[in-house]
Amino acid sequence: SHPFRIAEDVFSRHAWQPTLEYFLPVQMCHMRVNEKYRVWHGLCHHDDALMSPVKLNHFDGYVSGPSTLTEFEPMQPVPGLNRGGWHDAGDYDLRVESQMGTVWLLAMMVEEFGLDYDATSIDQQKQVVEIHQPDGRNDALQQIEHGLLSVLGAYESMGRLYRGIITPTIRQYVMLGDGSAQTDNRVHDASDENSVADDRWVFTEQNPGRELSAAGGLAAAARVLRGYDDDLSERSLKAAVAVYEVAAKSPESLVRQRVFALTELLLATKNSDYIDALVSMRKELVAAIAETGWIIGRVMNHIDDRAFITEVSQAVAAYQQKVRNEAGLTPY
């Protein structure tokens, strides 16, 4: 194989740092991204976004229902979507699960490891990023802010989460160049015959699983943003609670997603109602311990129900033994 280093400090450099120094900054949508004499991409998608048509199966898998699920009509501009978010790794669309999944992971880096790392300048007012130019602010918190600007911007405009934001045509979709060339950055005006309808479309959906996962990410972000951006923190927590309350009414089981949202909300609010909800899920939670054990473990010290603690602990012990047995059968 290629030579690789073995040492106590292998994570001290060139491990997770390139993600914060390069990958996330380069993927930032609605920004101009510079690196000294290089421009990674210009200010892009500033014309976001038009409400998608209804009853449509988009070529990249987005499906719209019989209505937009909002007060906006098809092809009507939706305000608040031209800020924040990261381009998908293989193209330029924004999917809610990747946005909120990234926000949550960054929040865990800050909360669990105390990450305070500054290598990049991010100016949300000018919408400019300067790679390898520190600005005195924690890059992880700035990136959390960037993800929330997209998701909260959509939620506060539409009253719900988006499914995704994506270009309407194959010609735009397959473009491999600078993302700023996908659209003309001017909001389409259907009454103007000279206006180009190249704006991206925003899709909505009713998906309790994704909504619960997003609620958990919003709650986690709210915690780590306190003291950094209190207004954004409060908005994020308010949205987390509201999204959870709607999604929790779903008749679908969604055990892992429910436990995830409840634990993050409990950690963010210390509200005993979330403890009661978790305890009431004892049977389903224990049955799915392989998926829920790592989640519920983060809040066990907040729960004072001995029967619940005993059952969860026994289920975790049994699962650990199962993993040990399987490990003895295969090196993989």
Side-chain angles (χ1 to χ4, degrees), residues 19-300:
T19 300
L20 276 179
E21 293 178 0
Y22 273 108
F23 182 74
L24 287 180
V26 170
Q27 298 299 112
M28 290 173 79
C29 190
H30 306 117
M31 305 290 274
R32 175 187 169 99
V33 182
N34 304 322
E35 183 189 4
K36 306 307 179 185
Y37 298 117
R38 166 186 286 178
V39 177
W40 280 93
H41 67 74
L43 177 63
C44 61
H45 306 109
H46 201 60
D47 43 8
D48 278 341
L50 301 178
M51 180 55 69
S52 71
V54 295
K55 301 178 182 178
L56 173 75
N57 192 337
H58 187 270
F59 52 80
D60 196 37
Y62 294 92
V63 178
S64 58
S67 78
T68 67
L69 303 175
T70 74
E71 64 181 17
F72 295 97
E73 298 296 325
M75 304 309 291
Q76 181 180 357
V78 179
L81 305 187
N82 63 346
R83 301 296 297 274
W86 303 277
H87 296 141
D88 207 6
D91 47 39
Y92 293 99
D93 64 330
L94 311 181
R95 295 175 179 262
V96 73
E97 68 270 32
S98 54
Q99 305 303 308
M100 288 313 305
T102 300
V103 165
W104 182 79
L105 286 170
L106 288 165
M108 292 303 99
M109 292 169 73
V110 174
E111 189 169 66
E112 297 292 329
F113 302 105
L115 178 67
D116 187 0
Y117 192 80
D118 179 24
T120 310
S121 292
I122 300 175
D123 189 327
Q124 291 291 349
Q125 298 304 314
K126 296 180 180 178
Q127 294 179 274
V128 174
V129 176
E130 299 287 350
I131 293 176
H132 288 165
Q133 183 173 309
D135 61 1
R137 305 173 74 195
N138 188 339
D139 289 348
L141 293 177
Q142 288 181 293
Q143 291 292 354
I144 290 170
E145 174 188 26
H146 193 69
L148 291 180
L149 287 175
S150 173
V151 176
L152 285 179
Y155 180 78
E156 291 170 353
S157 285
M158 301 190 298
R160 65 184 311 110
L161 301 173
Y162 58 66
R163 169 67 190 99
I165 303 173
I166 191 167
T167 49
T169 68
I170 288 284
R171 182 177 177 86
Q172 291 169 284
Y173 180 76
V174 299
M175 188 200 77
L176 299 178
D178 189 323
S180 65
Q182 269 198 333
T183 73
D184 61 7
N185 278 330
R186 290 178 290 185
V187 177
H188 175 59
D189 181 357
S191 66
D192 182 356
E193 63 180 16
N194 295 316
S195 180
V196 180
D198 63 359
D199 305 22
R200 293 195 294 189
W201 292 345
V202 56
F203 283 79
T204 58
E205 65 173 354
Q206 290 181 313
N207 189 313
R210 263 193 279 269
E211 290 160 5
L212 288 166
S213 296
L218 289 165
R223 294 197 304 270
V224 300
L225 287 177
R226 289 170 183 157
Y228 173 80
D229 188 330
D230 290 333
D231 175 68
L232 191 59
S233 172
E234 291 176 9
R235 290 164 55 201
S236 186
L237 184 57
K238 180 180 178 181
V241 171
V243 170
Y244 168 78
E245 288 177 350
V246 172
K249 296 175 182 177
S250 168
E252 297 179 56
S253 179
L254 303 170
V255 175
R256 179 184 60 79
Q257 294 93 330
R258 289 178 189 272
V259 174
F260 175 71
L262 284 167
T263 57
E264 296 297 344
L265 284 163
L266 172 56
L267 290 169
T269 67
K270 305 300 187 292
N271 187 330
S272 62
D273 289 345
Y274 298 127
I275 296 177
D276 296 340
L278 285 167
V279 171
S280 72
M281 293 179 62
R282 178 186 307 168
K283 183 178 179 180
E284 303 99 307
L285 191 155
V286 167
I289 201 66
E291 294 183 330
T292 61
W294 70 271
I295 306 172
I296 193 64
R298 301 179 62 231
V299 295
M300 290 295 278

